Amino acid sequence: MAKVIGYVNLHSDVSLKGLTERRPLASVSFLGRYGIIDIVLSNFSNSNIDNVGVLIKEKPRSLFKHMANGNAWNFNSKNGGVQLLYDEKYAGNGMYNNDINNIVENIAFFETNKPDYVVVAPAHIINTMDFSELVEAHAASGNAVTIATQKVKDADVNWIGCDYVKLDSDTKLVTQLETNMGNAKNRMISLEAYVFSAKTFEKFLKTAEKVSPFYSIRDMLAYSLDERRIGVYEYKGYVRCINSYQAYFNVCLEFLNYEVSTQVFHANWPIFTNTNDTPPTKYKEHSCVRDSMIANGAVVNGTVEHSIIGRDVIVGDGAVIKNSIIFSGSVIDPGSVLENVIMDKRARVKNMKNLKGELKEPLFIKEGDVV
């Protein structure tokens, strides 16, 4: 059986406004009880890839706290686990702080594990891809690199700023890797998940050092399309891209649709996260909850509609929360009304009782603020 290692690539230029001011996207709260990174880590675990390195670009503190020892994601601790790979040499050094330089600076992770194949995948593209199937398809293809893709019909509205590929009609090899600017509906979108054989990966890194220290994995793939056989693996399951503040809001609330959530959460593909020693949710006398996700430890004594409530949130008597995302430890005082709001951790609605954002521009309340 081939040995595979994985890299979770956090070297994206995704910003979620205030949500990523002090933390990387990977550790932003997702659906009240997860971090965004939990999805891709669970994919690696469920695919029986037990050695995973997390390529951290910046703001590592909250990620260190979330990851702890990595045991929550059910990796085989005897044969592997999670390693946090931070490029201290180039951290905060502009263009040098990229995924390739991080891998090279932490090359011991690759060399010690001696893999047959390497899978690189991002955290901000949400899916439940079986990476073992991706590796099998790559091995059978004989190509140097395989890019996971999906054909979409809404590239003019969503997926703006993501990559798309074009294929040669005869060889089915990638001839173009470009940025989607939204000028066409139908695109084959790159899911930024790549698989290499170990030998190809070594050569790829050495070539990158000669070409430019500023080049990322994506840049090198685009640069070498004429020199390497780069194919695609078409993934047909649920996929969403969280590449903006608005996309985060939309994707999270989309999961309140049962037909959507069951595409990601099912018995044979668990999504792992850190457990918390908190009591069950408490619904008090005046609580009314509809079409929402409520995490454990919350105390609800108001109305919650089409919203996501994190751990240990207190919703006071008569408070109304609609179409909002409330992070853990926050307090909504009695009589408050919130609509289209994203409220960061340990914030409190106390004095301004009526807070309303727009569907296309949800109001943001910073971590720890009392408003």
Side-chain angles (χ1 to χ4, degrees):
M1 183 177 177
K3 183 173 183 180
V4 184
I5 66 169
Y7 287 100
V8 177
N9 191 356
L10 305 186
H11 285 269
S12 61
D13 293 323
V14 175
S15 170
L16 306 184
K17 295 188 178 180
L19 290 172
T20 49
E21 184 177 348
R22 298 173 58 186
R23 59 168 78 90
L25 174 142
S27 57
V28 171
S29 177
F30 189 63
L31 306 182
R33 63 187 302 265
Y34 302 96
I36 290 175
I37 195 174
D38 293 344
I39 307 297
V40 66
L41 287 175
S42 298
N43 288 349
F44 277 117
S45 177
N46 292 325
S47 302
N48 295 315
I49 298 174
D50 288 322
N51 287 278
V52 177
V54 180
L55 301 172
I56 303 172
K57 179 182 180 182
E58 58 188 354
K59 306 167 189 170
R61 184 175 57 182
S62 66
L63 193 59
F64 289 157
K65 182 179 179 181
H66 179 72
M67 297 293 297
N69 58 14
N71 290 341
W73 290 271
N74 202 38
F75 293 109
N76 187 328
S77 58
K78 289 185 178 180
N79 298 320
V82 180
Q83 290 192 34
L84 301 178
L85 307 178
Y86 187 53
D87 188 357
E88 293 180 334
K89 180 178 178 181
Y90 291 128
N93 197 358
M95 297 289 288
Y96 285 97
N97 188 8
N98 60 57
D99 47 18
I100 289 180
N101 285 338
N102 194 338
I103 292 169
V104 172
E105 185 69 11
N106 293 283
I107 198 63
F109 173 75
F110 172 78
E111 293 176 341
T112 302
N113 282 300
K114 299 178 181 179
D116 299 303
Y117 296 98
V118 175
V119 175
V120 182
H124 67 283
I125 298 182
I126 305 299
N127 60 72
T128 53
M129 190 184 308
D130 187 337
F131 293 134
S132 64
E133 293 182 2
L134 172 62
V135 172
E136 288 176 10
H138 170 73
S141 72
N143 293 327
V145 186
T146 297
I147 302 174
T149 62
Q150 184 167 92
K151 291 179 180 177
V152 304
K153 297 180 179 179
D154 59 349
D156 58 332
V157 177
N158 299 309
W159 308 98
I160 307 298
C162 298
D163 288 333
Y164 72 92
V165 303
K166 287 188 175 180
L167 306 181
D168 181 278
S169 57
D170 295 323
T171 65
K172 304 302 179 184
L173 297 178
V174 177
T175 58
Q176 286 182 259
L177 179 60
E178 305 285 350
T179 301
N180 175 39
M181 305 303 292
N183 52 359
K185 290 185 177 181
N186 298 307
R187 293 291 195 197
M188 180 174 280
I189 295 293
S190 166
L191 304 184
E192 299 179 35
Y194 316 117
V195 56
F196 306 75
S197 71
K199 290 182 180 179
T200 298
F201 195 63
E202 284 185 286
K203 292 178 181 177
F204 186 82
L205 296 177
K206 290 177 181 178
T207 303
E209 290 184 89
K210 296 176 183 177
V211 173
S212 173
F214 292 169
Y215 268 26
S216 65
I217 293 174
R218 183 265 181 207
D219 295 331
M220 277 303 300
L221 289 173
Y223 175 84
S224 58
L225 287 175
D226 294 335
E227 302 172 9
R228 292 184 174 88
R229 290 176 56 89
I230 300 178
V232 299
Y233 167 83
E234 189 177 348
Y235 175 70
K236 297 183 179 180
Y238 174 92
V239 177
R240 293 293 185 272
C241 181
I242 299 178
N243 61 355
S244 69
Y245 177 74
Q246 187 65 46
Y248 170 80
F249 184 69
N250 294 344
V251 171
C252 287
L253 293 186
E254 183 185 48
F255 270 79
L256 297 177
N257 182 325
Y258 180 77
E259 293 182 1
V260 171
S261 62
T262 51
Q263 292 181 59
V264 175
F265 295 94
H266 37 87
N268 64 346
W269 201 265
I271 305 300
F272 302 104
T273 191
N274 277 320
T275 57
N276 282 259
D277 188 16
T278 49
T281 306
K282 186 175 183 178
Y283 299 97
K284 301 183 76 174
E285 181 183 0
H286 299 126
S287 65
C288 178
V289 177
R290 291 188 289 268
D291 189 28
S292 297
M293 289 185 178
I294 314 290
N296 52 310
V299 178
V300 180
N301 199 28
T303 298
V304 180
E305 296 182 5
H306 196 70
S307 295
I308 296 169
I309 307 297
R311 290 188 175 100
D312 299 320
V313 168
I314 297 175
V315 181
D317 186 11
V320 177
I321 301 173
K322 294 182 178 180
N323 213 53
S324 297
I325 302 171
I326 312 299
F327 283 23
S328 63
S330 292
V331 177
I332 315 298
D333 274 18
S336 302
V337 178
L338 282 68
E339 186 172 358
N340 302 324
V341 171
I342 297 178
M343 188 172 179
D344 211 332
K345 294 168 60 177
R346 296 183 297 277
R348 181 175 181 180
V349 177
K350 180 180 180 182
N351 300 310
M352 292 190 67
K353 294 294 185 72
N354 198 330
L355 299 172
K356 185 175 181 179
E358 302 295 329
L359 270 176
K360 293 188 176 180
E361 188 62 38
L363 176 67
F364 177 66
I365 301 173
K366 291 183 178 181
E367 179 179 352
D369 273 1
V370 178
V371 299

